């Protein structure tokens, strides 16, 4: 999926400030002997480093936080940090470590009854399996996540997993199923006013139509996505949608995204 939350986008644009603030907080917590505060700020630093693509520092911060959470017996912190480590490993294509971290996080979330944590981790596992073209496991993980999001009433989680499932079916050239899932996701994004989600699905639909050789329809979706990204000031995504739009314009014979 193309999705990137506004919270992460904001952190990315203020990453240095966040890093400095969390580092100072971490030093204070260490000085006063507040282990839980230390662990929380280390986890926060791990997230900031991840967003900045500083994966070695991210792994180190998450690992240190994890050790403290284990020592103080904070299961929720352990699970959250394991999930963070899983994402760091995944983006570096360290799939064995990523799956192990996600699986351990999932087990903790299940034990402590954290349904949202479970759903988020299952979705992370689904993305991990997709990266490896393990489509059966990916669909299973996203479907389980989708069921939990539905049960707890998390509309954004539902929409994101529907979109992710659409990507999976599109990857396998199961276009009818993919289109149905994208339509469901789009309906939820529109209802909750999530323009980023709407734009991402329009771009996904454009790619689907392009793969089907239906370039005129692809162009309409890419144009809609481009306009939405422009309204949000998402310059990189706007440029990507514009490039894809140009690739399916009549003067182009063919193009690959």
């Amino acid at each position: 999926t193309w999705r990137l939350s506004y919270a992460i986008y904001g952190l990315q644009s203020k990453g240095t400030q966040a890093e400095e603030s969390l580092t100072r907080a971490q030093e204070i917590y260490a000085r006063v002997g507040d282990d839980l505060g230390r662990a929380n700020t280390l986890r926060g630093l791990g997230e900031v480093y991840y967003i900045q693509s500083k994966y070695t520092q991210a792994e180190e911060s998450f690992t240190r936080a994890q050790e403290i959470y284990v020592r103080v017996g904070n299961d929720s912190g352990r699970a959250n940090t394991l999930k963070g480590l899983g994402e760091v490993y995944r983006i570096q294509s360290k799939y064995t470590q990523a799956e192990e971290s996600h699986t351990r996080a999932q087990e903790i979330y299940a034990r402590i009854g954290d349904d949202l944590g479970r759903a988020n981790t299952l979705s992370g596992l689904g993305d991990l399996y997709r990266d490896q073209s393990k489509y059966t496991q990916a669909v299973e993980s996203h479907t389980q996540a989708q069921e939990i999001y539905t049960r707890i009433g998390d509309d954004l989680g539902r929409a994101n997993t529907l979109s992710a499932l659409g990507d999976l079916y599109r990857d396998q050239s199961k276009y009818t199923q993919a289109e149905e899932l994208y339509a469901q996701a789009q309906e939820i994004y529109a209802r909750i006013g999530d323009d980023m989600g709407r734009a991402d699905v329009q771009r996904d639909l454009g790619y689907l139509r392009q793969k089907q050789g239906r370039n005129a329809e692809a162009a309409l979706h890419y144009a809609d996505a481009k306009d939405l990204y422009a309204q949000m000031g998402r310059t990189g995504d706007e440029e990507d949608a514009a490039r894809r739009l140009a690739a399916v314009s009549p003067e182009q014979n063919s193009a690959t995204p």
Side-chain angles (χ1 to χ4, degrees):
T1 186
W2 314 91
R3 186 156 185 75
L4 184 66
S5 73
Y6 284 121
I8 290 179
Y9 183 62
L11 254 182
Q12 193 171 32
S13 63
K14 300 175 182 176
T16 303
Q17 295 166 265
E19 182 182 344
E20 290 172 356
S21 296
L22 287 165
T23 300
R24 286 197 300 270
Q26 148 75 5
E27 291 167 354
I28 294 168
Y29 284 128
R31 194 167 62 241
V32 301
D34 185 337
D35 284 341
L36 185 57
R38 260 189 85 202
N40 289 339
T41 50
L42 281 166
R43 179 161 61 89
L45 275 168
E47 291 167 359
V48 171
Y49 287 136
Y50 172 80
I51 292 160
Q52 296 175 315
S53 302
K54 297 177 179 178
Y55 301 125
T56 302
Q57 295 100 311
E59 183 177 345
E60 180 183 337
S61 293
F62 280 133
T63 300
R64 289 170 63 196
Q66 168 76 356
E67 291 167 354
I68 298 171
Y69 284 131
V70 170
R71 191 171 70 243
V72 301
N74 188 302
D75 285 338
S76 179
R78 280 185 65 203
N80 291 337
T81 308
L82 282 165
K83 184 180 183 301
L85 276 168
E87 292 301 323
V88 171
Y89 290 135
R90 176 196 158 211
I91 205 163
Q92 298 176 90
S93 302
K94 297 178 179 178
Y95 296 130
T96 302
Q97 297 101 308
E99 184 172 357
E100 181 183 337
S101 293
H102 277 304
T103 301
R104 287 169 62 198
Q106 161 74 358
E107 290 167 353
I108 296 170
Y109 285 132
R111 190 176 71 244
I112 65 178
D114 185 337
D115 285 339
L116 181 58
R118 277 188 67 207
N120 289 340
T121 307
L122 282 164
S123 183
L125 276 168
D127 291 338
L128 173 64
Y129 290 134
R130 183 192 176 201
D131 288 349
Q132 301 170 83
S133 300
K134 296 180 177 179
Y135 295 121
T136 301
Q137 296 101 310
V139 168
E140 182 180 338
S141 293
H142 278 303
T143 300
Q144 288 180 48
Q146 162 75 359
E147 290 167 354
I148 297 172
Y149 286 131
T150 301
R151 189 175 72 244
I152 65 178
D154 187 326
D155 284 338
L156 181 58
R158 275 187 67 205
N160 289 343
T161 49
L162 285 165
S163 178
L165 283 165
D167 292 343
L168 284 165
Y169 284 116
R170 185 194 63 203
D171 289 349
Q172 300 172 83
S173 301
K174 297 179 179 178
Y175 299 128
T176 301
Q177 297 99 310
E179 186 174 354
E180 290 172 357
L181 289 158
Y182 286 142
Q184 291 179 54
Q186 183 76 309
E187 182 183 332
I188 297 171
Y189 286 134
R191 189 177 73 244
I192 64 178
D194 190 316
D195 288 339
M196 186 66 190
R198 287 176 57 212
D200 287 345
V201 172
Q202 286 295 334
R203 183 163 56 177
D204 288 331
L205 281 165
Y207 186 28
L208 183 150
R209 293 301 185 214
Q210 188 175 357
K211 287 190 73 174
Q212 291 176 300
R214 296 160 65 173
N215 284 358
E217 293 170 69
L220 293 174
H221 290 297
Y222 285 143
D224 284 345
K226 177 178 173 293
D227 290 345
L228 283 166
Y229 288 132
Q231 290 168 27
M232 292 182 287
R234 294 298 302 258
T235 306
D237 287 312
E238 181 188 356
E239 291 172 352
D240 178 76
R243 178 176 65 83
R244 292 170 184 276
L245 177 59
V248 295
S249 60
E251 62 268 22
Q252 298 289 331
N253 292 323
S254 63
T256 301

